[in-house]
Every structure is written in structure tokens, then in C-alpha cells.
Amino acid sequence: MFRYLGMVWDDTNPQQQETAQRIAKRLRELSPAWREEFSASGMQVFCAGARDPAIQLHRVGDQGGLIIGSLLARNRDLFSPAPAEQLRFNAAQSQSFVQSRGKWLIDHAWGDYVASGHDAAGGYKWVLKDPTGLLPCLRTELRGVRIFFSRIADCLDLQLRFTVNQTFLRSL
């Protein structure tokens, strides 16, 4: 089963840096299947397990980000009989993805994905889940490090504790 775990933190904060390093070390200790697939200043994404053909890793430009899942180019002609093609990022598309903080992806692609992006020039980092996709994207935080992941059991292996969001429950 394929799964992922990513982290975003303030790379100028020593406590957050240490926490992210400890999480990464623990992942590698748990299983050699965990591989670092993306790393940038204040951001890492790890993946493990067998991928089915629908789950691909799409790298965006030079350290621009990583998109996990299926990603198809949006056909502007909705009635075209031509099948959608897999989206492959060229330099201009990569730059547009980064500069728009992921909005370009929503406007020009469809699929089932979770995207992580990094704009080194602007200092921005973000995670974007396909608004209609089924690929899970859960999140939690540990000592300021934001963790996004596909399977709760992986976080339990990291000895994270979860609590009930009382405010959310009261709002239902």
C-alpha cells in the first residue's frame, strides 16, 4: 500500500529543525521503504509502499515541489473526443505553478493529487489537495512542524498523540 508523509517547518527555527530531523530519522528507522522524494529548505516529503499506475510522483522544476497522484492536462474543449494526456511540467509550467502557489495546477490540470510546493525566492511553502480527489491528505502539528500524511497509523508509529477537535464537533 502506498503512503506518504510530508513536513513543513520554519527553517530559521532551531526547535522546528530538530523536530523535523527527529521525525525523518524515526521514519527511516521504522522501515527502509520510506524514501525521501522531495526536500527543500523547511520542507520534506517521504513516500513508501507500492504504487499503482494511478499514483505517480511528478517533480516540479528545480526544487519547485512534488505532486503525488494522477495528474492530467485539462482539455479546454470539453466535447473533444481526444483522451486527456498526462501532464508533464516544462520550465514555464513549473515557474507558473510556483509563482501562483499552486493555483496554476487547479486552473490547468485535473486528477487525484496532493501537491507540495516551494518558492525559494518568496520563501513560501504550501500543500494543496485536489479539491475533488480521493487521495487522503490528513494533517497535524508537532512543536510547530506541520505534518501532512495519507495514513494515521504512520503518525502513530511516530508516537504522535491525537486529540478530538471539540470546536469542530460543536459546530456540527
Side-chain angles (χ1 to χ4, degrees):
M1 169 170 63
F2 174 79
R3 54 212 207 273
Y4 68 87
L5 186 142
M7 299 179 288
V8 177
W9 68 92
D10 177 357
D11 55 334
T12 65
N13 183 311
Q15 179 187 354
Q16 289 182 23
Q17 285 180 358
E18 181 185 341
T19 300
Q21 289 171 356
R22 288 178 60 194
I23 292 169
K25 181 179 182 223
R26 178 74 177 140
L27 272 181
R28 290 181 182 112
E29 289 171 353
L30 287 169
S31 171
W34 283 106
R35 293 184 39 187
E36 183 181 282
E37 297 291 348
F38 178 75
S39 180
S41 181
M43 181 177 244
Q44 280 182 298
V45 179
F46 294 86
C47 297
R51 293 192 298 260
D52 68 39
I55 298 179
Q56 301 295 316
L57 301 180
H58 306 269
R59 297 182 198 302
V60 180
D62 184 31
Q63 297 297 311
L66 177 72
I67 301 167
I68 300 168
S70 60
L71 193 59
L72 301 168
R74 183 180 287 182
N75 190 340
R76 292 295 173 199
D77 179 2
L78 296 176
F79 301 105
S80 171
E85 295 181 16
Q86 272 199 341
L87 183 62
R88 306 218 188 280
F89 284 91
N90 62 31
Q93 292 168 327
S94 294
Q95 184 177 16
S96 294
F97 170 81
V98 170
Q99 288 177 342
S100 71
R101 297 186 204 159
K103 185 180 181 313
W104 180 91
L105 194 60
I106 293 171
D107 293 339
H108 293 87
W110 63 278
D112 188 6
Y113 57 82
V114 173
S116 55
H118 176 257
D119 178 0
Y124 297 106
K125 298 168 267 219
W126 68 91
V127 176
L128 172 69
K129 185 199 179 314
D130 169 26
T132 61
L134 299 175
L135 190 61
C137 185
L138 307 168
R139 66 181 174 88
T140 191
E141 189 171 310
L142 177 65
R143 296 184 191 110
V145 176
R146 291 169 300 236
I147 304 167
F148 56 97
F149 53 96
S150 59
R151 202 180 110 195
I152 287 179
D154 293 327
C155 287
L156 296 176
D157 289 341
L158 296 172
Q159 301 167 350
L160 293 177
R161 302 213 190 301
F162 292 91
T163 59
V164 174
N165 184 336
Q166 298 288 339
T167 304
F168 175 78
L169 289 179
R170 280 192 290 274
S171 72
L172 295 177

